[in-house]
PDB file of all heavy atoms in Angstrom:
ATOM      1  N   TYR A  10     -52.736 -13.118  -3.237  1.00 86.00           N
ATOM      2  CA  TYR A  10     -52.981 -11.772  -3.122  1.00 86.00           C
ATOM      3  C   TYR A  10     -54.362 -11.455  -2.375  1.00 86.00           C
ATOM      4  O   TYR A  10     -54.489 -10.480  -1.808  1.00 86.00           O
ATOM      5  CB  TYR A  10     -53.074 -11.013  -4.357  1.00 86.00           C
ATOM      6  CG  TYR A  10     -51.709 -10.589  -4.875  1.00 86.00           C
ATOM      7  CD1 TYR A  10     -51.268 -11.134  -6.194  1.00 86.00           C
ATOM      8  CD2 TYR A  10     -50.835  -9.787  -4.160  1.00 86.00           C
ATOM      9  CE1 TYR A  10     -50.005 -10.712  -6.639  1.00 86.00           C
ATOM     10  CE2 TYR A  10     -49.568  -9.366  -4.629  1.00 86.00           C
ATOM     11  CZ  TYR A  10     -49.155 -10.011  -5.770  1.00 86.00           C
ATOM     12  OH  TYR A  10     -47.937  -9.611  -6.269  1.00 86.00           O
ATOM     13  N   GLY A  11     -55.230 -12.506  -2.481  1.00 73.00           N
ATOM     14  CA  GLY A  11     -56.484 -12.328  -1.809  1.00 73.00           C
ATOM     15  C   GLY A  11     -57.426 -11.364  -2.519  1.00 73.00           C
ATOM     16  O   GLY A  11     -56.977 -10.437  -3.245  1.00 73.00           O
ATOM     17  N   TYR A  12     -58.592 -11.517  -2.304  1.00 72.00           N
ATOM     18  CA  TYR A  12     -59.595 -10.680  -2.991  1.00 72.00           C
ATOM     19  C   TYR A  12     -60.031  -9.485  -2.155  1.00 72.00           C
ATOM     20  O   TYR A  12     -60.894  -8.817  -2.676  1.00 72.00           O
ATOM     21  CB  TYR A  12     -60.841 -11.530  -3.520  1.00 72.00           C
ATOM     22  CG  TYR A  12     -60.151 -12.589  -4.556  1.00 72.00           C
ATOM     23  CD1 TYR A  12     -59.422 -13.655  -4.155  1.00 72.00           C
ATOM     24  CD2 TYR A  12     -60.257 -12.328  -5.863  1.00 72.00           C
ATOM     25  CE1 TYR A  12     -58.827 -14.550  -5.174  1.00 72.00           C
ATOM     26  CE2 TYR A  12     -59.716 -13.084  -6.786  1.00 72.00           C
ATOM     27  CZ  TYR A  12     -58.958 -14.120  -6.417  1.00 72.00           C
ATOM     28  OH  TYR A  12     -58.297 -14.986  -7.427  1.00 72.00           O
ATOM     29  N   GLY A  13     -59.309  -9.332  -1.063  1.00 65.00           N
ATOM     30  CA  GLY A  13     -59.369  -8.017  -0.401  1.00 65.00           C
ATOM     31  C   GLY A  13     -58.457  -7.058  -1.071  1.00 65.00           C
ATOM     32  O   GLY A  13     -58.865  -5.856  -1.305  1.00 65.00           O
ATOM     33  N   LEU A  14     -57.281  -7.389  -1.537  1.00 61.00           N
ATOM     34  CA  LEU A  14     -56.455  -6.579  -2.506  1.00 61.00           C
ATOM     35  C   LEU A  14     -57.013  -6.899  -3.941  1.00 61.00           C
ATOM     36  O   LEU A  14     -56.403  -7.584  -4.728  1.00 61.00           O
ATOM     37  CB  LEU A  14     -54.995  -7.001  -2.404  1.00 61.00           C
ATOM     38  CG  LEU A  14     -54.217  -6.566  -1.233  1.00 61.00           C
ATOM     39  CD1 LEU A  14     -52.802  -7.277  -1.204  1.00 61.00           C
ATOM     40  CD2 LEU A  14     -54.054  -5.095  -1.157  1.00 61.00           C
ATOM     41  N   PHE A  15     -58.184  -6.432  -4.124  1.00 73.00           N
ATOM     42  CA  PHE A  15     -59.016  -7.159  -5.182  1.00 73.00           C
ATOM     43  C   PHE A  15     -58.516  -6.843  -6.617  1.00 73.00           C
ATOM     44  O   PHE A  15     -58.538  -7.657  -7.445  1.00 73.00           O
ATOM     45  CB  PHE A  15     -60.498  -6.847  -5.122  1.00 73.00           C
ATOM     46  CG  PHE A  15     -60.853  -5.325  -5.242  1.00 73.00           C
ATOM     47  CD1 PHE A  15     -61.179  -4.856  -6.459  1.00 73.00           C
ATOM     48  CD2 PHE A  15     -60.897  -4.626  -4.212  1.00 73.00           C
ATOM     49  CE1 PHE A  15     -61.557  -3.511  -6.581  1.00 73.00           C
ATOM     50  CE2 PHE A  15     -61.188  -3.216  -4.293  1.00 73.00           C
ATOM     51  CZ  PHE A  15     -61.525  -2.692  -5.618  1.00 73.00           C
ATOM     52  N   THR A  16     -57.966  -5.601  -6.772  1.00 85.00           N
ATOM     53  CA  THR A  16     -57.331  -5.271  -8.101  1.00 85.00           C
ATOM     54  C   THR A  16     -56.186  -6.315  -8.454  1.00 85.00           C
ATOM     55  O   THR A  16     -56.064  -6.848  -9.544  1.00 85.00           O
ATOM     56  CB  THR A  16     -56.992  -3.826  -8.309  1.00 85.00           C
ATOM     57  OG1 THR A  16     -58.056  -2.964  -8.043  1.00 85.00           O
ATOM     58  CG2 THR A  16     -56.312  -3.614  -9.580  1.00 85.00           C
ATOM     59  N   GLY A  17     -55.418  -6.555  -7.348  1.00 87.00           N
ATOM     60  CA  GLY A  17     -54.317  -7.455  -7.557  1.00 87.00           C
ATOM     61  C   GLY A  17     -54.726  -8.806  -7.811  1.00 87.00           C
ATOM     62  O   GLY A  17     -54.439  -9.558  -8.724  1.00 87.00           O
ATOM     63  N   GLY A  18     -55.663  -9.292  -6.877  1.00 89.00           N
ATOM     64  CA  GLY A  18     -56.145 -10.679  -6.923  1.00 89.00           C
ATOM     65  C   GLY A  18     -56.962 -10.999  -8.249  1.00 89.00           C
ATOM     66  O   GLY A  18     -56.733 -11.950  -8.908  1.00 89.00           O
ATOM     67  N   LEU A  19     -57.738 -10.059  -8.644  1.00 92.00           N
ATOM     68  CA  LEU A  19     -58.559 -10.317  -9.920  1.00 92.00           C
ATOM     69  C   LEU A  19     -57.609 -10.204 -11.093  1.00 92.00           C
ATOM     70  O   LEU A  19     -57.917 -10.915 -12.143  1.00 92.00           O
ATOM     71  CB  LEU A  19     -59.681  -9.259  -9.979  1.00 92.00           C
ATOM     72  CG  LEU A  19     -60.886  -9.451  -8.925  1.00 92.00           C
ATOM     73  CD1 LEU A  19     -61.809  -8.282  -8.970  1.00 92.00           C
ATOM     74  CD2 LEU A  19     -61.541 -10.837  -9.314  1.00 92.00           C
ATOM     75  N   GLY A  20     -56.731  -9.196 -11.125  1.00 94.00           N
ATOM     76  CA  GLY A  20     -55.791  -9.093 -12.243  1.00 94.00           C
ATOM     77  C   GLY A  20     -54.986 -10.358 -12.431  1.00 94.00           C
ATOM     78  O   GLY A  20     -54.848 -10.917 -13.452  1.00 94.00           O
ATOM     79  N   ILE A  21     -54.393 -10.877 -11.312  1.00 95.00           N
ATOM     80  CA  ILE A  21     -53.606 -12.216 -11.490  1.00 95.00           C
ATOM     81  C   ILE A  21     -54.600 -13.294 -11.924  1.00 95.00           C
ATOM     82  O   ILE A  21     -54.210 -14.263 -12.741  1.00 95.00           O
ATOM     83  CB  ILE A  21     -52.956 -12.562 -10.173  1.00 95.00           C
ATOM     84  CG1 ILE A  21     -51.974 -11.373  -9.800  1.00 95.00           C
ATOM     85  CG2 ILE A  21     -52.406 -13.954 -10.020  1.00 95.00           C
ATOM     86  CD1 ILE A  21     -50.749 -11.351 -10.602  1.00 95.00           C
ATOM     87  N   HIS A  22     -55.726 -13.253 -11.407  1.00 95.00           N
ATOM     88  CA  HIS A  22     -56.769 -14.375 -11.644  1.00 95.00           C
ATOM     89  C   HIS A  22     -56.984 -14.501 -13.238  1.00 95.00           C
ATOM     90  O   HIS A  22     -56.791 -15.630 -13.798  1.00 95.00           O
ATOM     91  CB  HIS A  22     -58.105 -14.116 -10.947  1.00 95.00           C
ATOM     92  CG  HIS A  22     -59.106 -15.185 -10.976  1.00 95.00           C
ATOM     93  ND1 HIS A  22     -59.437 -15.789  -9.923  1.00 95.00           N
ATOM     94  CD2 HIS A  22     -59.864 -15.697 -11.945  1.00 95.00           C
ATOM     95  CE1 HIS A  22     -60.361 -16.820 -10.116  1.00 95.00           C
ATOM     96  NE2 HIS A  22     -60.578 -16.761 -11.513  1.00 95.00           N
ATOM     97  N   ALA A  23     -57.276 -13.428 -13.776  1.00 96.00           N
ATOM     98  CA  ALA A  23     -57.547 -13.339 -15.240  1.00 96.00           C
ATOM     99  C   ALA A  23     -56.262 -13.727 -16.010  1.00 96.00           C
ATOM    100  O   ALA A  23     -56.311 -14.455 -17.076  1.00 96.00           O
ATOM    101  CB  ALA A  23     -58.075 -12.005 -15.641  1.00 96.00           C
ATOM    102  N   GLY A  24     -55.127 -13.268 -15.598  1.00 97.00           N
ATOM    103  CA  GLY A  24     -53.891 -13.656 -16.318  1.00 97.00           C
ATOM    104  C   GLY A  24     -53.361 -15.077 -16.296  1.00 97.00           C
ATOM    105  O   GLY A  24     -52.982 -15.568 -17.149  1.00 97.00           O
ATOM    106  N   ALA A  25     -53.697 -15.608 -15.085  1.00 98.00           N
ATOM    107  CA  ALA A  25     -53.287 -16.968 -14.815  1.00 98.00           C
ATOM    108  C   ALA A  25     -54.261 -17.913 -15.670  1.00 98.00           C
ATOM    109  O   ALA A  25     -53.760 -18.789 -16.294  1.00 98.00           O
ATOM    110  CB  ALA A  25     -53.487 -17.240 -13.341  1.00 98.00           C
ATOM    111  N   GLU A  26     -55.490 -17.536 -15.796  1.00 96.00           N
ATOM    112  CA  GLU A  26     -56.415 -18.410 -16.752  1.00 96.00           C
ATOM    113  C   GLU A  26     -56.059 -18.226 -18.186  1.00 96.00           C
ATOM    114  O   GLU A  26     -55.902 -19.144 -18.897  1.00 96.00           O
ATOM    115  CB  GLU A  26     -57.794 -17.814 -16.474  1.00 96.00           C
ATOM    116  CG  GLU A  26     -58.381 -18.334 -15.226  1.00 96.00           C
ATOM    117  CD  GLU A  26     -59.899 -17.895 -14.901  1.00 96.00           C
ATOM    118  OE1 GLU A  26     -60.350 -16.993 -15.653  1.00 96.00           O
ATOM    119  OE2 GLU A  26     -60.664 -18.448 -13.972  1.00 96.00           O
ATOM    120  N   LYS A  27     -55.663 -16.992 -18.541  1.00 98.00           N
ATOM    121  CA  LYS A  27     -55.159 -16.783 -19.928  1.00 98.00           C
ATOM    122  C   LYS A  27     -53.859 -17.701 -20.272  1.00 98.00           C
ATOM    123  O   LYS A  27     -53.854 -18.066 -21.403  1.00 98.00           O
ATOM    124  CB  LYS A  27     -54.968 -15.326 -20.201  1.00 98.00           C
ATOM    125  CG  LYS A  27     -54.732 -15.014 -21.758  1.00 98.00           C
ATOM    126  CD  LYS A  27     -55.292 -13.861 -22.225  1.00 98.00           C
ATOM    127  CE  LYS A  27     -55.407 -13.678 -23.607  1.00 98.00           C
ATOM    128  NZ  LYS A  27     -56.433 -12.470 -24.065  1.00 98.00           N
ATOM    129  N   LEU A  28     -52.935 -17.765 -19.294  1.00 98.00           N
ATOM    130  CA  LEU A  28     -51.807 -18.482 -19.570  1.00 98.00           C
ATOM    131  C   LEU A  28     -52.000 -19.979 -19.531  1.00 98.00           C
ATOM    132  O   LEU A  28     -51.199 -20.738 -19.950  1.00 98.00           O
ATOM    133  CB  LEU A  28     -50.749 -17.988 -18.536  1.00 98.00           C
ATOM    134  CG  LEU A  28     -49.275 -18.563 -18.735  1.00 98.00           C
ATOM    135  CD1 LEU A  28     -48.718 -18.216 -20.115  1.00 98.00           C
ATOM    136  CD2 LEU A  28     -48.358 -18.225 -17.635  1.00 98.00           C
ATOM    137  N   GLY A  29     -53.205 -20.318 -18.913  1.00 98.00           N
ATOM    138  CA  GLY A  29     -53.419 -21.867 -18.895  1.00 98.00           C
ATOM    139  C   GLY A  29     -52.869 -22.377 -17.572  1.00 98.00           C
ATOM    140  O   GLY A  29     -52.617 -23.667 -17.538  1.00 98.00           O
ATOM    141  N   LEU A  30     -52.779 -21.712 -16.570  1.00 98.00           N
ATOM    142  CA  LEU A  30     -52.364 -22.196 -15.261  1.00 98.00           C
ATOM    143  C   LEU A  30     -53.563 -22.802 -14.463  1.00 98.00           C
ATOM    144  O   LEU A  30     -54.684 -22.459 -14.765  1.00 98.00           O
ATOM    145  CB  LEU A  30     -51.840 -21.153 -14.336  1.00 98.00           C
ATOM    146  CG  LEU A  30     -50.702 -20.253 -14.912  1.00 98.00           C
ATOM    147  CD1 LEU A  30     -50.079 -19.150 -13.898  1.00 98.00           C
ATOM    148  CD2 LEU A  30     -49.477 -21.165 -15.334  1.00 98.00           C
ATOM    149  N   THR A  31     -53.237 -23.743 -13.683  1.00 98.00           N
ATOM    150  CA  THR A  31     -54.287 -24.118 -12.625  1.00 98.00           C
ATOM    151  C   THR A  31     -54.135 -23.175 -11.475  1.00 98.00           C
ATOM    152  O   THR A  31     -53.215 -23.139 -10.894  1.00 98.00           O
ATOM    153  CB  THR A  31     -53.970 -25.622 -12.143  1.00 98.00           C
ATOM    154  OG1 THR A  31     -53.923 -26.425 -13.442  1.00 98.00           O
ATOM    155  CG2 THR A  31     -55.093 -26.031 -11.086  1.00 98.00           C
ATOM    156  N   GLN A  32     -55.344 -22.561 -11.212  1.00 95.00           N
ATOM    157  CA  GLN A  32     -55.169 -21.507 -10.156  1.00 95.00           C
ATOM    158  C   GLN A  32     -55.889 -21.755  -8.939  1.00 95.00           C
ATOM    159  O   GLN A  32     -57.085 -22.326  -9.035  1.00 95.00           O
ATOM    160  CB  GLN A  32     -55.689 -20.166 -10.770  1.00 95.00           C
ATOM    161  CG  GLN A  32     -55.589 -18.943  -9.842  1.00 95.00           C
ATOM    162  CD  GLN A  32     -56.124 -17.710 -10.435  1.00 95.00           C
ATOM    163  OE1 GLN A  32     -55.980 -16.676  -9.786  1.00 95.00           O
ATOM    164  NE2 GLN A  32     -56.763 -17.806 -11.530  1.00 95.00           N
ATOM    165  N   VAL A  33     -55.354 -21.531  -7.778  1.00 96.00           N
ATOM    166  CA  VAL A  33     -55.964 -21.714  -6.527  1.00 96.00           C
ATOM    167  C   VAL A  33     -56.138 -20.263  -5.937  1.00 96.00           C
ATOM    168  O   VAL A  33     -55.184 -19.775  -5.360  1.00 96.00           O
ATOM    169  CB  VAL A  33     -55.159 -22.549  -5.560  1.00 96.00           C
ATOM    170  CG1 VAL A  33     -55.843 -22.824  -4.263  1.00 96.00           C
ATOM    171  CG2 VAL A  33     -54.868 -23.939  -6.231  1.00 96.00           C
ATOM    172  N   PRO A  34     -57.343 -19.628  -5.913  1.00 93.00           N
ATOM    173  CA  PRO A  34     -57.520 -18.340  -5.442  1.00 93.00           C
ATOM    174  C   PRO A  34     -57.714 -18.514  -3.838  1.00 93.00           C
ATOM    175  O   PRO A  34     -58.499 -19.322  -3.388  1.00 93.00           O
ATOM    176  CB  PRO A  34     -58.776 -17.810  -6.091  1.00 93.00           C
ATOM    177  CG  PRO A  34     -59.452 -18.940  -6.567  1.00 93.00           C
ATOM    178  CD  PRO A  34     -58.484 -20.064  -6.740  1.00 93.00           C
ATOM    179  N   VAL A  35     -57.116 -17.665  -3.194  1.00 90.00           N
ATOM    180  CA  VAL A  35     -57.094 -17.795  -1.666  1.00 90.00           C
ATOM    181  C   VAL A  35     -57.289 -16.372  -1.085  1.00 90.00           C
ATOM    182  O   VAL A  35     -56.664 -15.393  -1.532  1.00 90.00           O
ATOM    183  CB  VAL A  35     -55.789 -18.328  -1.142  1.00 90.00           C
ATOM    184  CG1 VAL A  35     -55.800 -18.453   0.373  1.00 90.00           C
ATOM    185  CG2 VAL A  35     -55.553 -19.680  -1.632  1.00 90.00           C
ATOM    186  N   SER A  36     -58.168 -16.208  -0.182  1.00 79.00           N
ATOM    187  CA  SER A  36     -58.370 -14.869   0.547  1.00 79.00           C
ATOM    188  C   SER A  36     -57.250 -14.636   1.437  1.00 79.00           C
ATOM    189  O   SER A  36     -56.463 -15.596   1.829  1.00 79.00           O
ATOM    190  CB  SER A  36     -59.759 -14.987   1.368  1.00 79.00           C
ATOM    191  OG  SER A  36     -60.791 -15.176   0.483  1.00 79.00           O
ATOM    192  N   GLY A  37     -57.165 -13.438   1.956  1.00 73.00           N
ATOM    193  CA  GLY A  37     -56.000 -13.025   2.876  1.00 73.00           C
ATOM    194  C   GLY A  37     -56.300 -13.749   4.202  1.00 73.00           C
ATOM    195  O   GLY A  37     -57.387 -14.143   4.603  1.00 73.00           O
ATOM    196  N   GLY A  38     -55.071 -13.898   4.821  1.00 77.00           N
ATOM    197  CA  GLY A  38     -55.127 -14.447   6.369  1.00 77.00           C
ATOM    198  C   GLY A  38     -55.350 -16.019   6.145  1.00 77.00           C
ATOM    199  O   GLY A  38     -54.865 -16.616   5.129  1.00 77.00           O
ATOM    200  N   MET A  39     -55.805 -16.665   7.218  1.00 87.00           N
ATOM    201  CA  MET A  39     -55.889 -18.054   7.373  1.00 87.00           C
ATOM    202  C   MET A  39     -54.622 -18.752   6.935  1.00 87.00           C
ATOM    203  O   MET A  39     -54.540 -19.676   6.205  1.00 87.00           O
ATOM    204  CB  MET A  39     -57.013 -18.687   6.445  1.00 87.00           C
ATOM    205  CG  MET A  39     -58.409 -17.972   6.855  1.00 87.00           C
ATOM    206  SD  MET A  39     -59.677 -18.678   5.756  1.00 87.00           S
ATOM    207  CE  MET A  39     -59.304 -17.955   4.207  1.00 87.00           C
ATOM    208  N   THR A  40     -53.508 -18.267   7.497  1.00 91.00           N
ATOM    209  CA  THR A  40     -52.207 -18.676   7.072  1.00 91.00           C
ATOM    210  C   THR A  40     -51.994 -20.249   7.213  1.00 91.00           C
ATOM    211  O   THR A  40     -51.386 -20.813   6.283  1.00 91.00           O
ATOM    212  CB  THR A  40     -51.176 -17.992   7.871  1.00 91.00           C
ATOM    213  OG1 THR A  40     -51.359 -16.455   7.748  1.00 91.00           O
ATOM    214  CG2 THR A  40     -49.633 -18.032   7.118  1.00 91.00           C
ATOM    215  N   PRO A  41     -52.294 -20.793   8.315  1.00 94.00           N
ATOM    216  CA  PRO A  41     -52.187 -22.305   8.362  1.00 94.00           C
ATOM    217  C   PRO A  41     -52.785 -23.112   7.242  1.00 94.00           C
ATOM    218  O   PRO A  41     -52.358 -24.002   6.671  1.00 94.00           O
ATOM    219  CB  PRO A  41     -52.925 -22.699   9.749  1.00 94.00           C
ATOM    220  CG  PRO A  41     -52.781 -21.502  10.627  1.00 94.00           C
ATOM    221  CD  PRO A  41     -52.952 -20.353   9.664  1.00 94.00           C
ATOM    222  N   ARG A  42     -53.957 -22.658   6.821  1.00 94.00           N
ATOM    223  CA  ARG A  42     -54.718 -23.218   5.692  1.00 94.00           C
ATOM    224  C   ARG A  42     -53.987 -23.027   4.483  1.00 94.00           C
ATOM    225  O   ARG A  42     -53.832 -23.909   3.541  1.00 94.00           O
ATOM    226  CB  ARG A  42     -56.064 -22.677   5.572  1.00 94.00           C
ATOM    227  CG  ARG A  42     -56.993 -23.194   4.472  1.00 94.00           C
ATOM    228  CD  ARG A  42     -58.277 -22.686   4.548  1.00 94.00           C
ATOM    229  NE  ARG A  42     -59.141 -23.009   3.378  1.00 94.00           N
ATOM    230  CZ  ARG A  42     -59.202 -22.320   2.273  1.00 94.00           C
ATOM    231  NH1 ARG A  42     -58.568 -21.199   2.222  1.00 94.00           N
ATOM    232  NH2 ARG A  42     -59.911 -22.726   1.191  1.00 94.00           N
ATOM    233  N   GLN A  43     -53.389 -21.908   4.226  1.00 94.00           N
ATOM    234  CA  GLN A  43     -52.556 -21.590   3.027  1.00 94.00           C
ATOM    235  C   GLN A  43     -51.382 -22.608   2.883  1.00 94.00           C
ATOM    236  O   GLN A  43     -51.140 -23.007   1.797  1.00 94.00           O
ATOM    237  CB  GLN A  43     -52.138 -20.120   3.048  1.00 94.00           C
ATOM    238  CG  GLN A  43     -53.174 -19.069   3.095  1.00 94.00           C
ATOM    239  CD  GLN A  43     -52.983 -17.951   2.213  1.00 94.00           C
ATOM    240  OE1 GLN A  43     -52.261 -18.073   1.168  1.00 94.00           O
ATOM    241  NE2 GLN A  43     -53.655 -16.833   2.374  1.00 94.00           N
ATOM    242  N   VAL A  44     -50.676 -22.688   3.981  1.00 97.00           N
ATOM    243  CA  VAL A  44     -49.570 -23.688   3.946  1.00 97.00           C
ATOM    244  C   VAL A  44     -49.950 -25.101   3.554  1.00 97.00           C
ATOM    245  O   VAL A  44     -49.439 -25.755   2.791  1.00 97.00           O
ATOM    246  CB  VAL A  44     -48.778 -23.604   5.302  1.00 97.00           C
ATOM    247  CG1 VAL A  44     -47.730 -24.823   5.380  1.00 97.00           C
ATOM    248  CG2 VAL A  44     -48.201 -22.352   5.604  1.00 97.00           C
ATOM    249  N   ARG A  45     -51.197 -25.497   4.137  1.00 96.00           N
ATOM    250  CA  ARG A  45     -51.758 -26.804   3.860  1.00 96.00           C
ATOM    251  C   ARG A  45     -51.967 -26.894   2.398  1.00 96.00           C
ATOM    252  O   ARG A  45     -51.600 -27.931   1.752  1.00 96.00           O
ATOM    253  CB  ARG A  45     -52.920 -27.085   4.692  1.00 96.00           C
ATOM    254  CG  ARG A  45     -53.419 -28.485   4.366  1.00 96.00           C
ATOM    255  CD  ARG A  45     -54.616 -28.843   5.161  1.00 96.00           C
ATOM    256  NE  ARG A  45     -55.116 -30.328   4.715  1.00 96.00           N
ATOM    257  CZ  ARG A  45     -55.957 -30.983   5.453  1.00 96.00           C
ATOM    258  NH1 ARG A  45     -56.541 -30.468   6.543  1.00 96.00           N
ATOM    259  NH2 ARG A  45     -56.217 -32.111   5.018  1.00 96.00           N
ATOM    260  N   LEU A  46     -52.737 -25.806   1.766  1.00 97.00           N
ATOM    261  CA  LEU A  46     -53.030 -26.026   0.321  1.00 97.00           C
ATOM    262  C   LEU A  46     -51.765 -25.862  -0.454  1.00 97.00           C
ATOM    263  O   LEU A  46     -51.719 -26.678  -1.521  1.00 97.00           O
ATOM    264  CB  LEU A  46     -53.930 -24.763  -0.081  1.00 97.00           C
ATOM    265  CG  LEU A  46     -55.328 -24.808   0.765  1.00 97.00           C
ATOM    266  CD1 LEU A  46     -56.158 -23.574   0.187  1.00 97.00           C
ATOM    267  CD2 LEU A  46     -56.073 -26.174   0.536  1.00 97.00           C
ATOM    268  N   ILE A  47     -50.743 -25.199  -0.053  1.00 98.00           N
ATOM    269  CA  ILE A  47     -49.521 -25.129  -0.998  1.00 98.00           C
ATOM    270  C   ILE A  47     -49.006 -26.509  -0.960  1.00 98.00           C
ATOM    271  O   ILE A  47     -48.490 -27.075  -2.040  1.00 98.00           O
ATOM    272  CB  ILE A  47     -48.435 -24.109  -0.408  1.00 98.00           C
ATOM    273  CG1 ILE A  47     -49.089 -22.661  -0.541  1.00 98.00           C
ATOM    274  CG2 ILE A  47     -47.064 -24.298  -1.075  1.00 98.00           C
ATOM    275  CD1 ILE A  47     -48.269 -21.623   0.259  1.00 98.00           C
ATOM    276  N   GLU A  48     -48.870 -27.154   0.187  1.00 97.00           N
ATOM    277  CA  GLU A  48     -48.181 -28.450   0.238  1.00 97.00           C
ATOM    278  C   GLU A  48     -49.069 -29.527  -0.340  1.00 97.00           C
ATOM    279  O   GLU A  48     -48.562 -30.393  -1.075  1.00 97.00           O
ATOM    280  CB  GLU A  48     -47.942 -28.858   1.772  1.00 97.00           C
ATOM    281  CG  GLU A  48     -46.792 -27.967   2.379  1.00 97.00           C
ATOM    282  CD  GLU A  48     -45.535 -28.227   1.754  1.00 97.00           C
ATOM    283  OE1 GLU A  48     -45.132 -29.589   1.480  1.00 97.00           O
ATOM    284  OE2 GLU A  48     -44.675 -27.365   1.430  1.00 97.00           O
TER     285      GLU A  48
END
């Protein structure tokens, strides 16, 4: 969601931590880098 869409990004961030997920926060754009990190 990126922290440009900050209400979305921060909301997901806190919920993911509460559920006990390993979270990778990523800013918007930089699509080639996003694919690399997913893989």
Side-chain angles (χ1 to χ4, degrees):
Y10 275 123
Y12 294 76
L14 289 171
F15 64 94
T16 297
L19 289 169
I21 295 296
H22 191 111
E26 289 183 345
K27 187 141 195 166
L28 187 59
L30 306 181
T31 301
Q32 182 179 194
V33 182
V35 183
S36 299
M39 301 182 290
T40 313
R42 178 173 173 270
Q43 299 223 24
V44 170
R45 177 171 183 175
L46 295 184
I47 292 167
E48 288 293 317

